[in-house]
C-alpha cells in the first residue's frame, strides 16, 4: 500500500497499537502527527520513531474537546491539511460492576467515545477538502458482551455504531471505518490485565485461549488492518467494523 505524502494524524500514537500504526504509515511514505496525552509521552515516541520532519508531535488530552481540537490543529498546521485520521487513543480497565465508580465510568466514555467523536468533528473540514477517511479503533468487546469490562464494552459499542452513523452522514466525501481487535500485546493488556492478576501466566494463557487462532495479536497486525481501511484499495469500504481477533467474535 502506497501512502506517499499522505498526511496522517494518529491519536494515541505514543504507545501500543497507535505507535505501530504511526511507524507503519511512516514506512509507507506518509507524514504522521503523533498524539499522546502529554508532551513527555509524545516526545519519547518521537525519539523512538526518528524520521526528522516527516513526524510531528501533536500532544493533547483526547478526553477533552480542547485536547482533540489541539491535536487536529497541530497536524493541519504542520502538514497544510489532513488525509487520514486514526482514532487510537483509548483506555480499558476491568472490574466488577459493583466496584466501578463514576470517575472510572466517565474516563472510559470521555477518552474512548467522546474523544473519538470530537477528534472526528475537529478534522471534518480538512477531511472533506482532501476526500480523506477516518479509522476508529473499536474492539471485539464493542461487538459482543464481555463480563468484567462492562464500561469498556459500552464505550466501544458506541464507537462501532457511531462509526456506522458517521459513514452514512459523511458520505460521499469521507469514508469512516472501524477496527475491532481482540487481545493485542500492548501495555494495556500487559499492565492492566496480565501483570496485576494473582497468576499472570494463567491470565495470559486465558487470553491466548480466547481466540480460536490461539494467540494474542501483535500491534503490527492491527496497524496493517488499519492501513488497509485507510488505503485507496479500500475506496468502496465505509461503515465497516472489521474484527481482527483470531475468530474470537465469529461464533457470537
Ligand atoms: N490492546 C488490546 O488488547 C486492545 C484490544 C481492542 C482494542 N484496543 C484499543 O486499541 C487502542 C489502543 O490501545 P493499546 O492497546 O495500544 O493501548 P496502550 O498501549 O495502553 O496505549 C494507549 C494509547 O492511548 C493514549 N491515550 C490514552 N488516554 C489518552 C488521552 N486521554 N489523550 C490522549 N491519548 C491518550 C496513550 O497515550 P500516553 O502514552 O500519553 O498515555 C497511548 O498512546 C485503544 O482504543 C484500545 O481500547 C486495544
Amino acid at each position: 500500500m502506497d501512502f506517499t505524502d499522505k498526511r496522517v494524524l494518529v491519536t494515541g500514537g505514543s504507545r501500543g497499537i497507535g505507535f505501530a500504526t504511526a511507524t507503519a504509515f511512516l514506512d509507507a511514505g506518509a507524514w504522521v502527527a503523533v498524539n499522546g496525552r502529554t508532551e513527555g509521552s509524545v516526545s519519547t515516541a518521537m525519539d523512538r520513531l526518528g524520521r526528522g520532519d516527516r513526524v510531528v508531535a501533536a500532544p493533547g488530552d483526547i478526553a477533552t474537546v480542547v485536547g482533540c481540537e489541539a491535536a487536529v490543529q497541530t497536524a493541519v498546521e504542520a502538514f497544510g491539511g489532513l488525509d487520514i485520521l486514526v482514532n487510537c487513543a483509548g483506555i480499558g480497565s476491568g472490574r466488577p460492576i459493583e466496584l466501578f465508580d463514576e470517575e472510572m465510568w466517565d474516563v472510559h466514555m470521555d477518552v474512548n467515545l467522546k474523544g473519538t467523536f470530537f477528534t472526528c468533528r475537529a478534522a471534518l473540514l480538512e477531511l472533506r477538502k482532501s476526500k480523506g477517511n477516518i479509522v476508529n479503533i473499536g474492539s471485539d468487546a464493542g461487538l459482543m458482551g464481555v463480563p468484567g469490562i462492562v464500561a469498556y464494552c459500552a464505550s466501544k459499542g458506541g464507537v462501532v455504531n457511531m462509526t456506522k452513523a458517521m459513514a452514512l452522514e459523511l458520505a460521499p466525501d469521507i469514508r469512516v471505518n472501524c477496527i475491532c481487535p481482540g487481545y493485542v500485546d500492548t501495555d494495556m493488556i500487559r499492565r492492566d490485565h496480565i501483570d496485576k492478576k494473582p497468576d499472570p501466566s494463567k491470565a495470559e494463557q486465558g487470553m491466548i485461549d480466547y481466540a480460536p487462532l490461539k494467540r494474542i495479536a501483535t500491534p503490527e497486525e492491527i496497524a496493517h488492518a488499519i492501513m488497509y481501511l485507510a488505503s485507496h484499495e479500500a475506496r468502496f469500504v465505509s461503515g465497516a467494523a472489521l474484527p481482527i481477533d483470531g475468530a474470537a467474535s465469529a461464533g457470537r
Side-chain angles (χ1 to χ4, degrees), residues 12 14-15 17 37 41 60-62 88 138 152 156 182 184 186 189:
S14 52
R15 289 185 287 119
I17 295 168
R37 223 176 315 209
S41 65
D61 182 356
I62 294 301
C88 206
Y152 184 76
K156 293 297 188 176
V184 188
T186 65
I189 289 310

Side-chain angles (χ1 to χ4, degrees), residues 212-232:
L213 293 187
K214 295 291 177 203
R215 65 182 177 82
I216 298 174
T218 66
E220 290 73 23
E221 286 171 320
I222 309 304
H224 292 144
I226 290 168
M227 289 176 84
Y228 165 67
L229 289 175
S231 73
H232 182 67

Side-chain angles (χ1 to χ4, degrees), residues 11-18 35-38 41-42 60-63 87-92 111-112 137-140 152 156 180-189 191:
T11 73
S14 52
R15 289 185 287 119
I17 295 168
N35 162 263
R37 223 176 315 209
T38 64
S41 65
V42 177
D61 182 356
I62 294 301
N87 282 305
C88 206
I91 57 146
V111 181
N112 296 353
I137 314 304
S139 168
D140 68 354
Y152 184 76
K156 293 297 188 176
C180 297
Y183 289 117
V184 188
D185 200 344
T186 65
D187 290 347
M188 181 183 283
I189 289 310
R191 189 191 49 217

Side-chain angles (χ1 to χ4, degrees), residues 128-197:
R128 276 210 171 93
K129 280 190 212 160
S130 64
K131 299 274 187 270
N133 72 82
I134 297 169
V135 183
N136 294 325
I137 314 304
S139 168
D140 68 354
L143 299 171
M144 60 188 185
V146 181
I149 51 167
V150 169
Y152 184 76
C153 287
S155 69
K156 293 297 188 176
V159 170
V160 169
N161 210 25
M162 183 170 77
T163 297
K164 296 179 184 190
M166 281 188 176
L168 293 171
E169 185 166 331
L170 301 178
D173 292 339
I174 303 172
R175 295 188 299 110
V176 190
N177 290 295
C178 173
I179 287 283
C180 297
Y183 289 117
V184 188
D185 200 344
T186 65
D187 290 347
M188 181 183 283
I189 289 310
R190 291 272 155 207
R191 189 191 49 217
D192 296 335
H193 298 276
I194 296 178
D195 294 348
K196 280 187 190 159
K197 298 287 174 183

